[in-house]
Amino acid sequence: MRYSLLDLLASPDTGAPFVLVGATEAEVPFIGPYGKPGSRVSRPGVAVGPALEGESGAFYTSFLARHETAPDDPERSRQTIVIDGLLVATDTGMWYPIVDTIPELLPPSLRDWQSHHDFLDQVIAPRIPAELVVALRQAVAGVDASGRRGDNHKTSEIGLLDKVEDKANFLAPGLLSPFNPNIYNHPADLIRGFGNCLPFLQLQHGHRVLDSGCGYGWTTEWLMNLGIDAVGIDISRVYPDVGRRRMGPNNQPHLVVGDSENLPFRAGVFDAVLCFDAFHHIPDRPAAMRRYERALKDPGRIVLLEPGGQHETDEVSVNVMDTYGIMEVGMELADVQGYIDGIETFGPARQIFLTPHLSDDPRTSVPISELRDRSYIGWGMFLIEKDAAATVQARSLASVAQAQSATQPTNGLGRLLGRVLKR
């Protein structure tokens, strides 16, 4: 983990900022094309790093403030990587481990509590004051770790390798992802799909993107290589671990283990969210959309690239569900709209088609069935825009149009408002 990631992370249950505790680090210069310095770089070997300026909480005041240290040179965040440590929420003291450079920020019902307690006792405890160790144990003593709806699918993803016999061959594609020298069509489709997403993300150099369900992390890596401050999150660390081996230590984007229904990020830090062939694995998709909305700046946008509505009935999908227990759900535009209904800052969901316009086409419109058949994308591409001001204006115009249509026949103004609302 680079120290700059600390400026983005927050407790997934309360949204409180974290303080880095008991960290070890290594000198690993970052050679990527971007690199925003971290504002809270710990001094080497300290027990408790600096807190976010102006932020505090009950646990911080009671335990962390006594041991907190001043921040080091922000530029050191480009030269140093955090190997392990704890991220401790300033309000409740809920803590999460950083294991082999990747923070694990899963909700209580999905955590491996035995390994996390062992990590605290064996790795972190020798580095920090004894009173803080006791406080950290107490902070999680009464946590509700009971299962939640959809956890069966999530735990299947987290423990995927337990059901795989030939693990090396199963994971081997990730070492070259998205390429596969033995197969042309699938890698070519992935690359084409990624390229199709870029114009609709509307990115500029230095923008920040959340890559939700990043898998092997190649989409996160490519965004980073384009000069984007990219953060990849996946519910299982199986895939990001393979991706790290492919990328090498000096040129890795931010990678986090976490749940898209319980995003561990501060509000309003991302310019866009990309969910590339991953949203259909999420059990509670409306909950994930609400978390995306919170994490996005205003304005911001979400691009989904997903299989079609019949995806869960495909033979391959049925086999995956039966064998591994992973959720496979197809979706169409109406489904995506249903996931965002009630989110006030979102405009209507849109489906994107990239098609040729033939010389004998009607100049007004092409039937949806023909758009699907001709589309170059080969996937369902959906765009959702967060723009609170524009959404309020559109609703106001809609109210005016509705009131007028109720009292008089549609006139020129009504037709104009109708065209505005359809855009």
Side-chain angles (χ1 to χ4, degrees):
M1 185 189 91
R2 299 281 172 183
Y3 281 106
S4 52
L5 180 59
L6 191 58
D7 292 332
L8 308 181
L9 295 174
S11 170
D13 55 342
T14 66
F18 287 124
V19 171
L20 184 59
V21 171
T24 61
E25 59 180 44
E27 287 191 20
V28 182
F30 182 59
I31 60 174
Y34 79 90
K36 296 182 179 180
S39 67
R40 290 184 290 154
V41 179
S42 295
R43 298 180 183 277
V46 302
V48 178
L52 188 66
E53 187 175 354
E55 294 276 359
S56 64
F59 195 86
Y60 169 80
T61 303
S62 300
F63 302 103
L64 297 174
R66 291 198 290 272
H67 306 284
E68 179 190 355
T69 54
D72 206 350
D73 181 3
E75 291 301 322
R76 212 164 64 79
S77 59
R78 284 187 55 85
Q79 306 299 318
T80 308
I81 194 166
V82 177
I83 302 297
D84 56 31
L86 291 184
L87 294 166
V88 181
T90 57
D91 55 351
T92 64
M94 178 65 73
W95 50 267
Y96 303 85
I98 303 167
V99 180
D100 196 13
T101 76
I102 295 183
E104 297 185 0
L105 293 155
L106 292 168
S109 63
L110 301 177
R111 291 177 64 167
D112 182 347
W113 281 105
Q114 184 59 57
S115 69
H116 288 180
H117 281 297
D118 290 345
F119 182 80
L120 172 63
D121 293 339
Q122 299 169 17
V123 178
I124 302 300
R127 306 174 186 168
I128 63 177
E131 67 158 357
L132 188 51
V133 176
V134 173
L136 290 170
R137 288 177 183 147
Q138 291 175 343
V140 299
V143 66
D144 180 9
S146 57
R148 300 290 190 269
R149 176 176 170 268
D151 275 1
N152 56 319
H153 297 294
K154 297 176 185 179
T155 54
S156 292
E157 288 202 57
I158 293 169
L160 176 67
L161 285 187
D162 295 338
K163 298 181 180 181
V164 176
E165 294 184 3
D166 189 348
K167 296 177 175 56
N169 281 333
F170 182 85
L171 297 174
L175 297 174
L176 290 173
S177 188
F179 304 104
N180 187 328
N182 300 312
I183 303 171
Y184 172 81
N185 288 335
H186 183 58
D189 285 344
L190 292 174
I191 295 168
R192 180 180 60 181
F194 178 78
N196 288 332
C197 289
L198 292 179
F200 301 98
L201 289 168
Q202 290 191 0
L203 301 175
Q204 297 179 21
H205 190 276
H207 274 183
R208 184 174 291 132
V209 175
L210 175 63
D211 187 3
S212 178
C214 66
Y216 290 127
W218 70 268
T219 43
T220 325
E221 178 188 13
W222 284 24
L223 286 166
M224 179 192 70
N225 288 336
L226 288 167
I228 304 303
D229 194 354
V231 181
I233 186 170
D234 203 275
I235 199 167
S236 170
R237 69 173 294 148
V238 169
Y239 299 115
D241 272 340
V242 175
R244 289 189 309 130
R245 291 168 57 194
R246 183 189 69 249
M247 297 178 226
N250 299 97
N251 196 39
Q252 289 182 25
H254 298 307
L255 296 173
V256 176
V257 173
D259 180 13
S260 291
E261 296 175 22
N262 301 273
L263 287 178
F265 299 106
R266 296 174 61 193
V269 294
F270 293 103
D271 296 282
V273 173
L274 172 65
C275 201
F276 189 97
D277 194 21
F279 197 70
H280 63 282
H281 295 311
I282 297 175
D284 191 344
R285 292 170 291 286
M289 283 294 182
R290 292 191 294 271
R291 289 298 184 127
Y292 292 160
E293 191 276 339
R294 182 182 183 277
L296 276 171
K297 296 178 182 179
D298 187 2
R301 49 187 42 217
I302 301 167
V303 174
L304 310 177
L305 195 74
E306 297 295 326
Q310 302 303 312
H311 176 68
E312 66 260 37
T313 63
D314 292 343
E315 183 178 352
V316 173
S317 298
V318 171
N319 184 56
V320 167
M321 289 187 283
D322 290 344
T323 304
Y324 302 110
I326 296 173
M327 173 164 279
E328 300 283 354
V329 174
M331 61 187 72
E332 301 291 352
L333 181 58
D335 301 307
V336 177
Q337 181 61 49
Y339 304 150
I340 66 171
D341 280 345
I343 302 179
E344 296 294 324
T345 60
F346 280 169
R350 303 177 184 178
Q351 185 165 5
I352 307 298
F353 297 98
L354 299 180
T355 66
H357 203 91
L358 305 181
S359 60
D360 58 350
D361 282 340
R363 305 319 294 173
T364 55
S365 64
V366 176
I368 187 69
S369 58
E370 291 190 32
L371 284 176
R372 294 179 187 278
D373 292 340
R374 294 185 198 173
S375 180
Y376 293 129
I377 297 176
W379 310 62
M381 182 187 287
F382 306 99
L383 172 65
I384 301 156
E385 295 179 285
K386 176 182 178 179
D387 190 331
T391 303
V392 169
Q393 182 182 24
R395 289 197 179 98
S396 177
L397 289 171
S399 297
V400 171
Q402 186 176 14
Q404 289 187 341
S405 66
T407 58
Q408 63 186 39
T410 302
N411 55 20
L413 175 61
R415 289 192 295 272
L416 173 61
L417 290 172
R419 288 197 296 271
V420 169
L421 295 173
K422 289 178 181 178
R423 285 192 303 196

